């Protein structure tokens, strides 16, 4: 027998099924909407802008004193006495050390005696010449009166010529003796070594009793002392060929000496070499690594820290620079790092940025120029109207082809 409730249950089941189907449709719609929203990434974009791009060129360097002299003896002699010590301040002409000079004093006495002897002989020769001249005059008058023969007159003439020649030779011998005296006096003067400049004694390289060897003899170890004007330092830096043309004499440079502190000393570029130096392996600025040439730049620095800074210290030289004309730049953060650091600027390297167009982020290769701490020059590949993605800190890497939604826009 059929149950009376069977026809009544069918509509109820259909209603339940329809409700479940509606819930499924609603859930699928919500999920689709969520996925659509999630697939659109929020981004901040900027336009490239024209900028004079102040930059800093870095180079390693070494300090030295601008006026530093290595003193050598000009005569051979044992060091008899040293009057100064390392670190002493000296004036120009001040005695530094004395070499043993007894041999020069003896030579001087001998040659002065020879000179004085020649002077005495010259006086005798002068008297003989005057006597011969007087006799010649008298015989010339007597010959006119036919009181002496022609032979007697010829004899008087020959006597005068001989006396005159001896007198002239005596004068020459005196000049030679005086030259010999001056030579010994010069050697005696050089046996006392004096400071050639106002400065500081950097080192005394000999001891009393040691023999000072003239540098002209080409022996090693001929330096006896080093003197320097410590008021002006020179930083010698090496710049590669891609940077050296940007530096001119008179330009400002900041010199940091890590051994002292990080406070920069302001200097002025004195000279920039026209010829390259030999590239050293492992040198900075990429010169040696690329086989490029490097050039020497000299920077004068007023030494306000004489008690701390020394010749031979290493330093870091910073050359502030600015483009002569505005160039197109983007924030450095806009450059993509594809597995490695962004290449160094200024050598025709390329990089990539994300450009937003029609709501899609696409990858674009650009040619890089110079850079500073915050902005990068773009030499080719972008225009001022492009929208460039600048990732926020901590934001996951945005893949090319992603749909994006601009949430922040900066013009220029």
């Amino acid at each position: 027998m059929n149950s009376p409730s069977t026809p009544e249950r069918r509509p109820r089941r259909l209603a339940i099924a329809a409700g479940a189907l509606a819930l499924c449709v609603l859930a699928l719609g919500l999920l689709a909407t969520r996925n659509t929203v999630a697939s659109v990434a929020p981004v901040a974009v900027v336009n490239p802008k024209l900028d004079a791009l102040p930059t800093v060129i870095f180079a390693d360097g070494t300090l030295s004193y601008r006026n530093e002299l290595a003193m050598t003896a000009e005569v051979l002699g044992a060091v008899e006495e040293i009057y100064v010590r390392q670190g002493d301040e000296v004036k120009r002409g001040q005695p530094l050390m004395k070499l043993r000079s007894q041999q020069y004093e003896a030579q001087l006495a001998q040659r002065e005696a020879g000179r004085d002897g020649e002077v005495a002989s010259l006086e005798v020769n002068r008297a003989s010449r005057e006597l011969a001249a007087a006799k010649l005059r008298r015989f010339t008058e007597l010959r006119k009166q036919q009181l002496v023969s022609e032979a007697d007159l010829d004899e008087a003439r020959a006597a005068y010529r001989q006396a005159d020649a001896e007198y002239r030779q005596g004068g020459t011998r005196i000049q030679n003796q005086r030259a010999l005296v001056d030579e010994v006096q010069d050697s005696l003067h050089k046996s006392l070594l004096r400071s050639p400049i106002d400065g500081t004694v950097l080192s005394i390289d000999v001891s009393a009793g040691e023999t000072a060897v003239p540098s002209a003899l080409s022996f090693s170890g001929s330096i006896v002392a080093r003197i320097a004007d410590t008021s002006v330092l020179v930083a010698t830096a090496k710049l590669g060929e891609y940077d050296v043309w940007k530096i001119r004499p008179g330009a400002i440079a900041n010199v940091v000496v890590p051994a002292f502190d990080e406070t920069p000393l302001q200097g002025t570029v004195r000279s920039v070499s026209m010829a390259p130096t030999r590239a050293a392996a492992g040198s900075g600025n990429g010169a040696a690594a690329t086989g490029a040439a490097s050039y020497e730049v000299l920077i004068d620095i007023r030494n306000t820290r004489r008690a701390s800074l020394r010749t031979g210290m290493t330093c870091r030289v910073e050359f502030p620079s600015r483009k002569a004309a505005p160039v197109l730049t983007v924030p450095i953060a806009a450059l993509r790092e594809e597995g490695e650091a962004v290449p160094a600027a200024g050598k025709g390297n390329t990089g990539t940025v994300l450009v937003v167009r029609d709501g899609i982020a696409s990858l674009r290769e650009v040619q890089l120029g110079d850079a500073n701490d915050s902005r990068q020059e773009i030499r080719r590949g972008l225009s001022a109207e492009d929208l460039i993605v600048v990732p926020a800190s901590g934001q996951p890497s945005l893949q090319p082809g992603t749909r994006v939604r601009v949430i922040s826009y900066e013009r220029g």
Side-chain angles (χ1 to χ4, degrees):
M1 187 167 89
N2 292 334
S3 171
S5 61
T6 298
E8 298 175 0
R9 291 176 179 171
R10 289 177 180 172
R12 185 180 299 171
R13 290 175 181 174
L14 291 174
I16 292 172
L21 181 59
L23 288 174
C24 288
V25 172
L26 179 61
L28 289 173
L30 290 174
L31 182 59
T33 301
R34 179 180 297 177
N35 288 340
T36 302
V37 173
S39 66
V40 179
V43 294
V45 297
V46 298
N47 289 125
K49 74 173 181 178
L50 289 174
D51 191 355
L53 194 64
T55 60
V56 177
I57 300 170
F58 295 95
D60 295 329
T62 306
L63 294 182
S64 61
Y65 297 119
R66 179 172 180 176
N67 192 9
E68 180 176 339
L69 303 177
M71 294 189 58
T72 60
E74 296 184 70
V75 294
L76 182 67
V79 178
E80 190 171 79
E81 194 171 359
I82 300 175
Y83 304 119
V84 294
R85 295 178 298 178
Q86 178 179 320
D88 284 354
E89 298 289 331
V90 294
K91 296 294 184 181
R92 181 177 182 179
Q94 179 178 334
L96 302 177
M97 62 182 68
K98 184 179 185 301
L99 305 184
R100 193 165 295 154
S101 59
Q102 286 83 350
Q103 71 273 28
Y104 300 119
E105 292 169 357
Q107 289 178 16
L108 180 62
Q110 181 181 6
R111 292 183 178 178
E112 283 179 340
R115 178 200 60 193
D116 293 343
E118 291 296 340
V119 170
S121 296
L122 184 66
E123 291 300 320
V124 173
N125 292 335
R126 178 185 289 111
S128 298
R129 188 183 70 163
E130 289 176 355
L131 182 61
K135 183 178 179 181
L136 177 60
R137 287 194 298 271
R138 186 172 67 255
F139 271 49
T140 300
E141 292 297 326
L142 291 174
R143 178 59 186 160
K144 291 177 181 178
Q145 301 170 20
Q146 301 292 320
L147 297 176
V148 296
S149 67
E150 187 66 30
D152 292 335
L153 180 59
D154 290 340
E155 184 179 349
R157 289 191 184 112
Y160 172 76
R161 285 196 293 269
Q162 181 177 355
D164 183 65
E166 289 178 354
Y167 176 77
R168 293 178 184 277
Q169 289 175 1
T172 302
R173 288 194 297 271
I174 286 179
Q175 290 180 355
N176 291 337
Q177 288 296 324
R178 285 173 176 169
L180 292 174
V181 169
D182 291 343
E183 180 182 349
V184 178
Q185 284 180 333
D186 183 61
S187 297
L188 188 60
H189 175 76
K190 290 176 179 177
S191 67
L192 183 62
L193 276 68
R194 300 174 182 271
S195 176
I197 59 171
D198 294 347
T200 304
V201 179
L202 301 183
S203 65
I204 298 294
D205 299 293
V206 292
S207 301
E210 292 183 342
T211 300
V213 181
S215 58
L217 298 181
S218 301
F219 285 104
S220 61
S222 59
I223 295 175
V224 297
R226 296 179 186 273
I227 310 290
D229 176 5
T230 59
S231 63
V232 179
L233 286 165
V234 176
T236 303
K238 296 287 197 322
L239 284 180
E241 61 188 60
Y242 295 101
D243 291 321
V244 69
W245 60 271
K246 304 172 188 175
I247 308 302
R248 296 286 184 273
I252 298 300
N254 296 317
V255 180
V256 177
V257 185
F260 183 68
D261 61 21
E262 291 296 319
T263 305
L265 297 168
Q266 190 175 92
T268 304
V269 174
R270 188 212 312 174
S271 65
V272 181
S273 67
M274 299 299 294
T277 59
R278 182 176 60 86
S283 169
N285 307 315
T290 61
S294 63
Y295 296 80
E296 190 173 82
V297 180
L298 301 181
I299 303 100
D300 288 334
I301 312 160
R302 180 61 58 182
N303 186 8
T304 58
R305 305 170 183 172
R306 296 194 194 185
S308 304
L309 300 183
R310 302 282 194 279
T311 183
M313 284 184 170
T314 58
C315 60
R316 183 178 72 252
V317 184
E318 303 171 356
F319 300 93
S321 178
R322 184 178 290 271
K323 290 287 185 179
V327 293
L328 202 64
T329 66
V330 298
I332 285 183
L335 294 175
R336 301 261 300 180
E337 296 186 9
E338 302 295 340
E340 58 183 31
V342 177
K347 301 178 178 61
N349 294 299
T350 59
T352 54
V353 296
L354 283 173
V355 179
V356 175
R357 188 171 184 179
D358 298 331
I360 303 294
S362 59
L363 203 61
R364 186 178 298 180
E365 185 177 83
V366 293
Q367 184 181 14
L368 305 179
D370 292 321
N372 59 19
D373 292 340
S374 59
R375 299 196 70 83
Q376 169 71 57
E377 177 188 358
I378 304 297
R379 293 183 174 175
R380 189 178 297 115
L382 291 179
S383 69
E385 290 74 29
D386 288 323
L387 296 178
I388 311 302
V389 176
V390 181
S393 178
Q395 182 180 5
S397 179
L398 190 65
Q399 297 303 313
T402 303
R403 295 190 63 82
V404 296
R405 175 169 51 91
V406 176
I407 61 171
S408 175
Y409 169 68
E410 179 183 347
R411 181 181 296 275

